[in-house]
Every structure is written in C-alpha cells, then in structure tokens.
Amino acid sequence: ARRVIRAVHPRGVIALVTSAALARTLRALECPVVNVGAIVPGLGFPLVGVHHREVGRLAARHFRECGVTNFGFVGHPEHLYS
C-alpha cells in the first residue's frame, strides 16, 4: 500500500487511518490528510466522524419502521467506533 500511495503523488488524502505505521506513511507524503475514523486516537490528523449514538438511534428506528422487533449490535471492544 505504501508504494501505491507514494506513486500516486496525492495533493491530499482522505483515509481511515488504522495504524501508527499508516499514519507515518501518510505524514511522509507531506500533503493534507483527513482521518475519517477514530480507530487510533491521538494521531494529530484532522478528524471527521459520526455521532455514533445518533446512527444507532436512526438504525433502530429504521428497523422498527420495517417491522423488525428483535435486532442487535455487534461491535469490537478495541475499536473506538464500536
């Protein structure tokens, strides 16, 4: 992935930064980077995220409107988005 990213010579990157190694690769590009997830906290990139509670509320409402009365959520304890 590093070679591909560098070969493209982007002027900016929108990325889901999932590791410190990826963050280092993106910093080395010396272009603006926007992170679209808070999987790894404290990376220093501008962060665009979602209001997770609202997403859950809207999903539950959708299920109820579709007549679904029994549903659940599967998340991951090591990921902030869960």
Side-chain angles (χ1 to χ4, degrees), residues 1-78:
R2 290 179 193 171
R3 255 184 299 168
V4 172
I5 293 170
R6 288 184 182 133
V8 174
H9 303 291
R11 293 189 164 194
V13 176
I14 299 170
L16 176 58
V17 186
T18 56
S19 69
L22 178 56
R24 285 190 297 275
T25 297
L26 295 172
R27 278 193 194 90
L29 296 173
E30 298 180 352
C31 69
V33 175
V34 175
N35 189 2
V36 296
I39 293 172
V40 181
L43 294 176
F45 295 118
L47 177 64
V48 177
V50 298
H51 190 282
H52 298 289
R53 242 187 218 134
E54 183 67 9
V55 169
R57 189 185 71 72
L58 290 171
R61 184 174 80 190
H62 173 72
F63 286 142
R64 285 191 314 267
E65 289 172 354
C66 291
V68 178
T69 58
N70 187 11
F71 56 90
F73 170 77
V74 178
H76 194 287
E78 294 179 19

